[in-house]
Protein backbone atom coordinates (compact mmCIF):
# COMPACT_ATOMS: atom_id res chain seq x y z
CA UNK A 1 0.00 0.00 0.00
CA UNK A 2 1.04 3.58 -0.61
CA UNK A 3 1.82 5.78 2.44
CA UNK A 4 -1.28 7.90 1.81
CA UNK A 5 -3.45 4.77 1.76
CA UNK A 6 -1.96 3.56 5.06
CA UNK A 7 -2.61 6.96 6.68
CA UNK A 8 -6.15 6.97 5.27
CA UNK A 9 -6.93 3.53 6.72
CA UNK A 10 -5.50 4.43 10.14
CA UNK A 11 -7.29 7.77 10.41
CA UNK A 12 -10.52 6.26 9.10
CA UNK A 13 -10.46 3.44 11.67
CA UNK A 14 -9.46 5.86 14.44
CA UNK A 15 -12.41 8.08 13.58
CA UNK A 16 -14.81 5.11 13.41
CA UNK A 17 -13.68 3.65 16.73
CA UNK A 18 -13.75 7.09 18.35
CA UNK A 19 -17.39 7.44 17.27
CA UNK A 20 -18.25 3.96 18.59
CA UNK A 21 -16.59 4.78 21.90
CA UNK A 22 -18.27 8.17 22.22
CA UNK A 23 -21.73 6.78 21.39
CA UNK A 24 -21.69 3.40 23.11
CA UNK A 25 -18.64 2.52 25.23
CA UNK A 26 -18.08 5.95 26.80
CA UNK A 27 -14.58 5.00 27.98
CA UNK A 28 -11.60 7.31 28.16
CA UNK A 29 -10.76 7.85 24.44
CA UNK A 30 -7.40 6.06 24.31
CA UNK A 31 -8.76 3.09 26.27
CA UNK A 32 -11.84 2.92 24.04
CA UNK A 33 -9.74 3.02 20.86
CA UNK A 34 -7.43 0.27 21.99
CA UNK A 35 -10.35 -1.89 23.15
CA UNK A 36 -12.10 -1.53 19.78
CA UNK A 37 -8.92 -2.42 17.89
CA UNK A 38 -8.19 -5.34 20.21
CA UNK A 39 -11.73 -6.73 19.90
CA UNK A 40 -11.52 -6.37 16.11
CA UNK A 41 -8.19 -8.26 16.08
CA UNK A 42 -9.48 -11.09 18.26
CA UNK A 43 -12.71 -11.32 16.21
CA UNK A 44 -10.80 -11.58 12.95
CA UNK A 45 -8.54 -14.31 14.33
CA UNK A 46 -11.50 -16.24 15.77
CA UNK A 47 -13.50 -16.08 12.53
CA UNK A 48 -10.46 -17.17 10.52
CA UNK A 49 -9.92 -20.07 12.94
CA UNK A 50 -13.53 -21.15 12.45
CA UNK A 51 -13.12 -21.16 8.68
CA UNK A 52 -14.82 -17.85 7.86
CA UNK A 53 -13.07 -15.99 5.03
CA UNK A 54 -12.26 -12.60 6.55
CA UNK A 55 -9.15 -11.97 4.43
CA UNK A 56 -6.97 -12.20 7.52
CA UNK A 57 -3.78 -12.44 5.48
CA UNK A 58 -4.57 -9.08 3.87
CA UNK A 59 -4.98 -7.51 7.31
CA UNK A 60 -1.76 -9.12 8.54
CA UNK A 61 0.17 -7.75 5.58
CA UNK A 62 -1.21 -4.29 6.32
CA UNK A 63 -0.21 -4.44 10.00
CA UNK A 64 3.25 -5.80 9.20
CA UNK A 65 3.74 -3.05 6.65
CA UNK A 66 3.66 -0.52 9.50
CA UNK A 67 6.95 -0.59 11.41
CA UNK A 68 5.44 0.09 14.82
CA UNK A 69 8.79 0.26 16.62
CA UNK A 70 10.28 2.83 14.24
CA UNK A 71 7.03 4.78 14.09
CA UNK A 72 7.04 5.21 17.88
CA UNK A 73 10.73 5.46 18.74
CA UNK A 74 11.71 7.62 15.76
CA UNK A 75 8.52 9.60 15.19
CA UNK A 76 5.48 9.67 17.46
CA UNK A 77 7.39 9.70 20.76
CA UNK A 78 9.17 13.03 20.28
CA UNK A 79 5.94 14.87 19.43
CA UNK A 80 4.02 13.39 22.36
CA UNK A 81 6.80 14.22 24.82
CA UNK A 82 7.08 17.82 23.63
CA UNK A 83 3.30 18.27 23.66
CA UNK A 84 3.19 17.04 27.24
CA UNK A 85 6.22 19.01 28.44
CA UNK A 86 5.08 22.45 27.27
CA UNK A 87 2.05 22.20 29.58
CA UNK A 88 4.01 21.37 32.75
CA UNK A 89 4.20 24.50 34.89
CA UNK A 90 7.78 24.83 36.01
CA UNK A 91 6.93 26.40 39.38
CA UNK A 92 4.90 23.29 40.29
CA UNK A 93 7.50 21.02 38.71
CA UNK A 94 10.32 22.75 40.61
CA UNK A 95 8.44 22.39 43.91
CA UNK A 96 8.27 18.61 43.49
CA UNK A 97 11.49 18.19 41.50
CA UNK A 98 13.06 15.85 44.06
CA UNK A 99 10.11 13.47 44.01
CA UNK A 100 9.83 13.57 40.21
CA UNK A 101 13.54 12.96 39.64
CA UNK A 102 13.61 10.13 42.18
CA UNK A 103 10.58 8.51 40.55
CA UNK A 104 11.88 9.02 37.01
CA UNK A 105 15.43 7.81 37.64
CA UNK A 106 15.69 5.91 40.93
CA UNK A 107 12.25 4.27 40.71
CA UNK A 108 12.80 3.27 37.07
CA UNK A 109 16.16 1.72 37.96
CA UNK A 110 14.60 -0.09 40.93
CA UNK A 111 11.66 -1.32 38.86
CA UNK A 112 14.01 -2.57 36.13
CA UNK A 113 16.17 -4.50 38.59
CA UNK A 114 13.29 -5.88 40.69
CA UNK A 115 11.34 -6.97 37.61
CA UNK A 116 14.40 -8.64 36.12
CA UNK A 117 15.42 -10.42 39.31
CA UNK A 118 11.93 -11.71 40.11
CA UNK A 119 11.34 -12.97 36.57
CA UNK A 120 14.79 -14.55 36.36
CA UNK A 121 14.31 -16.23 39.76
CA UNK A 122 10.89 -17.60 38.85
CA UNK A 123 12.14 -19.08 35.58
CA UNK A 124 15.68 -20.14 36.49
CA UNK A 125 14.73 -23.70 37.46
CA UNK A 126 12.26 -24.22 34.60
CA UNK A 127 12.69 -25.14 30.92
CA UNK A 128 11.79 -21.51 30.11
CA UNK A 129 14.78 -19.97 31.91
CA UNK A 130 16.29 -16.78 30.46
CA UNK A 131 19.72 -15.21 31.09
CA UNK A 132 19.73 -12.51 33.76
CA UNK A 133 20.61 -9.76 31.27
CA UNK A 134 17.53 -10.70 29.19
CA UNK A 135 15.32 -10.57 32.28
CA UNK A 136 16.76 -7.14 33.14
CA UNK A 137 16.16 -6.06 29.55
CA UNK A 138 12.49 -6.93 29.97
CA UNK A 139 12.52 -4.85 33.16
CA UNK A 140 13.85 -1.86 31.20
CA UNK A 141 11.20 -2.35 28.52
CA UNK A 142 8.27 -2.47 30.90
CA UNK A 143 9.32 0.02 33.61
CA UNK A 144 8.52 3.38 31.87
CA UNK A 145 4.96 4.49 32.61
CA UNK A 146 2.48 6.18 30.31
CA UNK A 147 0.05 8.50 32.15
CA UNK A 148 -2.20 9.43 29.21
CA UNK A 149 -5.23 7.35 30.21
CA UNK A 150 -4.72 7.49 33.98
CA UNK A 151 -4.35 11.26 34.16
CA UNK A 152 -7.38 11.82 31.96
CA UNK A 153 -9.49 9.70 34.31
CA UNK A 154 -8.06 11.11 37.53
CA UNK A 155 -8.38 14.69 36.29
CA UNK A 156 -12.09 14.15 35.75
CA UNK A 157 -12.31 13.19 39.44
CA UNK A 158 -10.59 16.36 40.61
CA UNK A 159 -7.15 14.90 41.31
CA UNK A 160 -4.89 17.32 43.16
CA UNK A 161 -2.44 19.31 41.06
CA UNK A 162 0.38 17.87 43.14
CA UNK A 163 -0.30 14.24 42.24
CA UNK A 164 -0.95 15.26 38.64
CA UNK A 165 2.39 17.08 38.45
CA UNK A 166 4.30 14.17 39.98
CA UNK A 167 2.72 11.48 37.75
CA UNK A 168 3.07 13.64 34.64
CA UNK A 169 6.66 14.68 35.41
CA UNK A 170 7.66 11.11 36.24
CA UNK A 171 6.34 9.73 32.97
CA UNK A 172 7.91 12.49 30.85
CA UNK A 173 11.38 11.71 32.17
CA UNK A 174 11.17 7.97 32.81
CA UNK A 175 10.46 7.38 29.12
CA UNK A 176 13.95 8.71 28.43
CA UNK A 177 15.49 6.79 31.33
CA UNK A 178 13.81 3.57 30.17
CA UNK A 179 15.14 4.01 26.63
CA UNK A 180 18.65 4.66 27.99
CA UNK A 181 18.56 1.51 30.15
CA UNK A 182 17.21 -0.49 27.21
CA UNK A 183 20.02 0.79 24.97
CA UNK A 184 22.72 -0.05 27.53
CA UNK A 185 21.39 -3.54 28.27
CA UNK A 186 20.90 -4.30 24.57
CA UNK A 187 24.51 -3.28 23.91
CA UNK A 188 25.69 -5.63 26.68
CA UNK A 189 23.52 -8.46 25.38
CA UNK A 190 24.80 -8.32 21.81
CA UNK A 191 28.39 -7.65 22.90
CA UNK A 192 28.69 -4.02 21.78
CA UNK A 193 29.25 -2.78 25.34
CA UNK A 194 31.25 -4.00 28.32
CA UNK A 195 29.11 -5.57 31.04
CA UNK A 196 30.98 -3.77 33.84
CA UNK A 197 29.14 -1.39 36.16
CA UNK A 198 31.58 1.43 35.39
CA UNK A 199 30.87 1.27 31.66
CA UNK A 200 27.11 1.12 32.26
CA UNK A 201 27.25 4.16 34.55
CA UNK A 202 29.38 6.09 32.05
CA UNK A 203 26.95 5.33 29.20
CA UNK A 204 23.99 6.25 31.38
CA UNK A 205 25.50 9.60 32.40
CA UNK A 206 26.48 10.37 28.80
CA UNK A 207 22.98 9.68 27.50
CA UNK A 208 21.20 11.62 30.26
CA UNK A 209 23.61 14.56 30.56
CA UNK A 210 23.95 14.80 26.79
CA UNK A 211 20.18 14.82 26.42
CA UNK A 212 19.80 17.60 29.00
CA UNK A 213 22.49 19.75 27.36
CA UNK A 214 21.11 19.23 23.86
CA UNK A 215 17.59 19.98 25.09
CA UNK A 216 18.78 23.26 26.57
CA UNK A 217 20.58 24.18 23.34
CA UNK A 218 17.50 23.34 21.24
CA UNK A 219 15.34 25.45 23.54
CA UNK A 220 17.75 28.37 23.16
CA UNK A 221 17.51 28.13 19.37
CA UNK A 222 13.71 27.92 19.58
CA UNK A 223 13.65 31.00 21.83
CA UNK A 224 15.66 32.93 19.25
CA UNK A 225 13.48 31.77 16.37
CA UNK A 226 10.20 32.58 18.10
CA UNK A 227 11.26 36.03 19.32
CA UNK A 228 9.42 38.73 17.43
CA UNK A 229 7.42 36.31 15.24
CA UNK A 230 3.67 36.81 15.59
CA UNK A 231 2.29 34.59 12.84
CA UNK A 232 0.65 31.40 14.15
CA UNK A 233 1.75 29.27 11.19
CA UNK A 234 5.37 30.39 11.61
CA UNK A 235 5.33 29.56 15.34
CA UNK A 236 3.96 26.09 14.61
CA UNK A 237 6.55 25.47 11.90
CA UNK A 238 9.44 26.56 14.12
CA UNK A 239 8.39 24.41 17.08
CA UNK A 240 7.91 21.41 14.79
CA UNK A 241 11.37 22.00 13.33
CA UNK A 242 12.89 22.33 16.79
CA UNK A 243 11.41 19.04 17.96
CA UNK A 244 12.24 16.99 14.88
CA UNK A 245 15.74 18.39 14.33
CA UNK A 246 16.61 18.16 18.03
CA UNK A 247 15.51 14.53 18.22
CA UNK A 248 17.34 13.61 15.02
CA UNK A 249 20.55 15.27 16.26
CA UNK A 250 20.23 13.44 19.59
CA UNK A 251 20.07 10.11 17.78
CA UNK A 252 23.08 11.08 15.66
CA UNK A 253 25.08 12.09 18.76
CA UNK A 254 23.88 8.97 20.61
CA UNK A 255 22.39 10.90 23.53
CA UNK A 256 18.86 10.59 24.87
CA UNK A 257 16.37 12.05 22.39
CA UNK A 258 13.40 11.71 24.76
CA UNK A 259 15.18 13.58 27.57
CA UNK A 260 16.35 16.28 25.15
CA UNK A 261 12.80 16.71 23.89
CA UNK A 262 11.33 16.97 27.40
CA UNK A 263 13.92 19.55 28.45
CA UNK A 264 13.20 21.57 25.31
CA UNK A 265 9.46 21.42 25.95
CA UNK A 266 9.81 22.49 29.59
CA UNK A 267 11.97 25.50 28.70
CA UNK A 268 9.89 26.55 25.70
CA UNK A 269 6.62 26.18 27.60
CA UNK A 270 7.74 28.02 30.72
CA UNK A 271 10.19 30.65 29.48
CA UNK A 272 10.04 31.09 25.71
CA UNK A 273 6.30 31.26 25.03
CA UNK A 274 5.45 33.64 27.92
CA UNK A 275 8.20 36.04 26.76
CA UNK A 276 7.97 35.83 22.97
CA UNK A 277 4.25 35.42 22.23
CA UNK A 278 1.08 37.11 23.41
CA UNK A 279 -1.65 35.17 25.21
CA UNK A 280 -3.71 34.57 22.06
CA UNK A 281 -0.73 33.30 20.04
CA UNK A 282 0.30 31.05 22.90
CA UNK A 283 -3.19 29.54 23.16
CA UNK A 284 -3.20 28.88 19.42
CA UNK A 285 0.20 27.18 19.54
CA UNK A 286 -0.75 25.07 22.57
CA UNK A 287 -4.04 24.15 20.87
CA UNK A 288 -2.11 22.90 17.85
CA UNK A 289 0.11 20.68 20.01
CA UNK A 290 -2.90 19.46 21.98
CA UNK A 291 -4.64 18.49 18.74
CA UNK A 292 -1.52 16.82 17.35
CA UNK A 293 -1.13 14.89 20.60
CA UNK A 294 -4.77 13.72 20.49
CA UNK A 295 -4.43 12.51 16.90
CA UNK A 296 -1.10 10.75 17.48
CA UNK A 297 -2.39 9.10 20.67
CA UNK A 298 -5.46 7.89 18.78
CA UNK A 299 -3.29 6.33 16.06
CA UNK A 300 -0.85 4.94 18.64
CA UNK A 301 -3.46 3.13 20.73
CA UNK A 302 -5.20 1.92 17.59
CA UNK A 303 -1.92 0.36 16.45
CA UNK A 304 -1.34 -1.18 19.88
CA UNK A 305 -4.67 -2.96 19.57
CA UNK A 306 -3.85 -4.26 16.10
CA UNK A 307 -0.41 -5.53 17.16
CA UNK A 308 -2.36 -8.44 18.69
CA UNK A 309 -2.60 -9.85 15.18
CA UNK A 310 1.16 -10.33 14.85
CA UNK A 311 2.16 -11.11 18.44
CA UNK A 312 3.89 -14.54 18.34
CA UNK A 313 1.68 -16.58 20.71
CA UNK A 314 2.80 -19.98 22.06
CA UNK A 315 2.73 -21.95 25.32
CA UNK A 316 6.04 -20.48 26.54
CA UNK A 317 4.76 -16.99 25.87
CA UNK A 318 1.57 -17.62 27.82
CA UNK A 319 3.55 -18.72 30.90
CA UNK A 320 5.84 -15.70 30.77
CA UNK A 321 2.90 -13.34 30.25
CA UNK A 322 1.06 -14.82 33.24
CA UNK A 323 4.13 -14.30 35.43
CA UNK A 324 4.96 -10.86 34.04
CA UNK A 325 1.76 -9.06 35.10
CA UNK A 326 2.03 -9.62 38.88
CA UNK A 327 5.82 -9.24 38.69
CA UNK A 328 5.53 -5.79 37.12
CA UNK A 329 2.93 -4.70 39.67
CA UNK A 330 5.14 -5.82 42.56
CA UNK A 331 8.17 -4.05 41.07
CA UNK A 332 6.13 -0.87 40.54
CA UNK A 333 4.95 -0.97 44.17
CA UNK A 334 8.50 -1.39 45.45
CA UNK A 335 9.87 1.32 43.16
CA UNK A 336 7.37 4.00 44.23
CA UNK A 337 7.48 3.15 47.94
CA UNK A 338 10.90 4.75 48.53
CA UNK A 339 10.25 8.13 46.81
CA UNK A 340 6.75 8.40 48.28
CA UNK A 341 8.09 7.58 51.74
CA UNK A 342 10.62 10.41 51.46
CA UNK A 343 7.92 12.72 50.07
CA UNK A 344 5.40 12.09 52.86
CA UNK A 345 7.95 12.29 55.70
CA UNK A 346 8.50 15.98 54.98
CA UNK A 347 4.78 16.69 54.71
CA UNK A 348 3.67 15.01 57.93
CA UNK A 349 1.24 12.69 56.14
CA UNK A 350 2.88 9.35 56.83
CA UNK A 351 -0.55 7.88 57.63
CA UNK A 352 -1.54 8.34 53.99
CA UNK A 353 1.64 6.79 52.59
CA UNK A 354 0.00 3.47 51.80
CA UNK A 355 -2.86 5.22 50.00
CA UNK A 356 -0.46 7.17 47.79
CA UNK A 357 1.68 4.12 47.05
CA UNK A 358 -1.38 2.08 46.03
CA UNK A 359 -2.72 4.89 43.84
CA UNK A 360 0.59 5.53 42.06
CA UNK A 361 1.18 1.78 41.63
CA UNK A 362 -2.20 1.20 39.99
CA UNK A 363 -2.02 4.45 37.97
CA UNK A 364 1.37 3.45 36.50
CA UNK A 365 0.07 2.38 33.10
CA UNK A 366 2.30 1.10 30.32
CA UNK A 367 1.81 2.13 26.70
CA UNK A 368 3.20 2.29 23.20
CA UNK A 369 6.82 2.88 24.22
CA UNK A 370 7.05 -0.53 25.91
CA UNK A 371 5.58 -2.30 22.89
CA UNK A 372 7.92 -0.43 20.55
CA UNK A 373 10.98 -1.32 22.62
CA UNK A 374 9.95 -4.98 22.74
CA UNK A 375 9.46 -5.13 18.98
CA UNK A 376 12.89 -3.56 18.46
CA UNK A 377 14.64 -6.35 20.41
CA UNK A 378 17.52 -8.00 18.56
CA UNK A 379 17.45 -11.81 18.21
CA UNK A 380 17.65 -12.92 21.85
CA UNK A 381 16.69 -15.98 23.90
CA UNK A 382 12.89 -15.96 24.33
CA UNK A 383 12.50 -12.82 22.17
CA UNK A 384 9.00 -13.81 21.05
CA UNK A 385 8.01 -14.61 24.63
CA UNK A 386 9.26 -11.21 25.81
CA UNK A 387 7.18 -9.48 23.14
CA UNK A 388 4.06 -11.38 24.25
CA UNK A 389 4.77 -10.67 27.93
CA UNK A 390 5.20 -6.96 27.17
CA UNK A 391 1.96 -6.86 25.19
CA UNK A 392 0.11 -8.67 28.00
CA UNK A 393 1.32 -6.18 30.60
CA UNK A 394 0.45 -3.19 28.39
CA UNK A 395 -3.02 -4.56 27.59
CA UNK A 396 -3.69 -5.37 31.26
CA UNK A 397 -2.52 -1.98 32.46
CA UNK A 398 -4.62 -0.04 29.96
CA UNK A 399 -7.79 -2.15 29.93
CA UNK A 400 -7.87 -3.23 33.59
CA UNK A 401 -5.88 -0.66 35.54
CA UNK A 402 -6.97 2.20 33.30
CA UNK A 403 -10.67 1.43 33.73
CA UNK A 404 -10.50 0.83 37.49
CA UNK A 405 -8.06 3.50 38.71
CA UNK A 406 -10.98 5.92 39.05
CA UNK A 407 -12.75 3.54 41.42
CA UNK A 408 -9.56 3.15 43.43
CA UNK A 409 -9.26 6.93 43.71
CA UNK A 410 -12.89 7.20 44.92
CA UNK A 411 -12.42 4.38 47.42
CA UNK A 412 -9.24 5.84 48.87
CA UNK A 413 -10.08 9.55 48.86
CA UNK A 414 -13.85 9.96 49.06
CA UNK A 415 -14.75 11.49 52.38
CA UNK A 416 -11.22 12.56 53.24
CA UNK A 417 -8.84 15.33 52.31
CA UNK A 418 -6.39 14.47 49.58
CA UNK A 419 -3.08 14.35 51.43
CA UNK A 420 -1.23 15.43 48.36
CA UNK A 421 -3.50 18.34 47.64
Amino acid sequence: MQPLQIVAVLLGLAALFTWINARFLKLQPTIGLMLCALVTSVTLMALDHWGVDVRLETTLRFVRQIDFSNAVLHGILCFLLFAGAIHVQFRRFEKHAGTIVSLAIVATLIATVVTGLILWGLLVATPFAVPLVVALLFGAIISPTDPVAALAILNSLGISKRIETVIDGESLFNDGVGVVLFTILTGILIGESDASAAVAVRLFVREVAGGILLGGLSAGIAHRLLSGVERHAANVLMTLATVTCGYAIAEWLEVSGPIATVVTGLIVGNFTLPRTTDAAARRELESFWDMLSEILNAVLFLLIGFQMLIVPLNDNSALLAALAIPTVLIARWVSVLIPVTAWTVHDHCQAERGVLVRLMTWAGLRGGLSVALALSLPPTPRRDSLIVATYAVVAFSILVQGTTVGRLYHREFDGRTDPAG
Side-chain angles (χ1 to χ4, degrees):
M1 294 180 71
Q2 298 298 318
L4 181 60
Q5 294 173 319
I6 294 174
V7 172
V9 171
L10 292 177
L11 291 180
L13 287 173
L16 173 62
F17 291 160
T18 297
W19 178 83
I20 292 172
N21 181 59
R23 287 293 302 272
F24 305 107
L25 302 179
K26 302 187 186 303
L27 297 170
Q28 197 277 334
T30 52
I31 296 176
L33 272 167
M34 180 178 168
L35 180 61
C36 287
L38 193 59
V39 169
T40 301
S41 299
V42 173
T43 302
L44 288 174
M45 289 189 295
L47 291 174
D48 181 74
H49 179 72
W50 293 330
V52 180
D53 184 11
V54 290
R55 303 292 178 90
L56 183 61
E57 281 302 320
T58 302
T59 305
L60 290 175
R61 283 198 301 272
F62 172 77
V63 175
R64 290 193 181 103
Q65 195 171 350
I66 302 169
D67 190 334
F68 182 86
S69 181
N70 273 328
V72 174
L73 296 176
H74 308 296
I76 293 175
L77 182 62
C78 66
F79 298 113
L80 291 181
L81 290 175
F82 183 83
I86 61 172
H87 290 292
V88 175
Q89 295 182 19
F90 196 76
R91 59 180 178 272
R92 291 211 316 262
F93 180 88
E94 186 178 27
K95 183 178 179 182
H96 309 302
T99 304
I100 291 170
V101 170
S102 62
L103 282 167
I105 298 179
V106 178
T108 305
L109 285 167
I110 292 172
T112 297
V113 173
V114 172
T115 300
L117 289 177
I118 293 177
L119 202 62
W120 176 76
L122 289 173
L123 296 174
V124 69
T126 73
F128 314 113
V130 296
L132 179 58
V133 67
V134 174
L136 291 172
L137 189 58
F138 174 72
I141 289 170
I142 211 64
S143 292
T145 56
D146 182 346
V148 173
L151 277 179
I153 295 168
L154 292 175
N155 285 340
S156 68
L157 302 173
I159 183 176
S160 73
K161 290 297 182 182
R162 185 177 188 183
I163 293 180
E164 176 188 345
T165 300
V166 170
I167 294 177
D168 210 5
E170 175 204 5
S171 68
L172 286 172
F173 280 101
N174 74 9
D175 279 1
V177 174
V179 172
V180 171
L181 291 174
F182 175 83
T183 302
I184 292 171
L185 289 167
T186 300
I188 293 172
L189 180 65
I190 63 179
E192 290 183 355
S193 302
D194 194 331
S196 69
V199 171
V201 170
R202 186 168 66 249
L203 290 173
F204 184 83
V205 171
R206 187 196 71 187
E207 289 262 0
V208 174
I212 293 173
L213 291 173
L214 180 60
L217 178 61
S218 298
I221 294 172
H223 185 94
R224 183 67 178 172
L225 290 173
L226 291 168
S227 297
V229 177
E230 299 179 358
R231 293 182 62 242
H232 171 57
N235 288 337
V236 168
L237 178 60
M238 284 183 285
T239 52
L240 281 171
T242 299
V243 174
T244 52
C245 292
Y247 202 89
I249 292 171
E251 292 186 333
W252 178 61
L253 294 175
E254 296 184 350
V255 300
S256 175
I259 291 177
T261 302
V262 170
V263 171
T264 302
L266 286 172
I267 296 174
V268 169
N270 286 275
F271 297 103
T272 299
L273 295 183
R275 290 166 173 77
T276 61
T277 58
D278 57 32
R282 182 175 184 177
R283 283 195 299 271
E284 287 181 339
L285 185 61
E286 289 177 344
S287 295
F288 165 80
W289 280 100
D290 286 342
M291 182 63 67
L292 181 62
S293 176
E294 289 286 338
I295 293 171
L296 291 178
N297 269 313
V299 173
L300 175 61
F301 280 83
L302 179 76
L303 288 173
I304 292 174
F306 281 127
Q307 292 304 303
M308 178 68 183
L309 290 168
I310 57 174
V311 166
L313 295 172
N314 55 56
D315 292 341
N316 296 351
S317 302
L319 172 64
L320 191 56
L323 294 174
I325 293 172
T327 296
V328 169
L329 287 172
I330 292 170
R332 172 67 177 172
W333 179 83
V334 172
S335 69
V336 300
L337 180 62
I338 297 172
V340 169
T341 298
W343 173 16
T344 54
V345 162
H346 294 296
D347 294 333
H348 309 290
C349 53
Q350 295 95 323
E352 306 293 348
R353 185 179 303 152
V355 172
L356 293 173
V357 171
R358 287 194 295 274
L359 177 63
M360 295 191 70
T361 298
W362 203 246
L365 309 188
R366 274 65 179 182
L369 176 62
S370 294
V371 177
L373 290 175
L375 291 173
S376 69
L377 280 169
T380 62
R382 309 294 182 194
R383 179 182 184 274
D384 288 351
S385 297
L386 292 179
I387 293 173
V388 175
T390 301
Y391 193 87
V393 172
V394 170
F396 179 87
S397 72
I398 294 172
L399 299 179
V400 179
Q401 293 172 235
T403 55
T404 57
V405 68
R407 271 177 272 174
L408 174 64
Y409 184 86
H410 274 309
R411 190 185 72 189
E412 300 289 3
F413 290 115
D414 275 359
R416 71 169 80 185
T417 302
D418 186 345

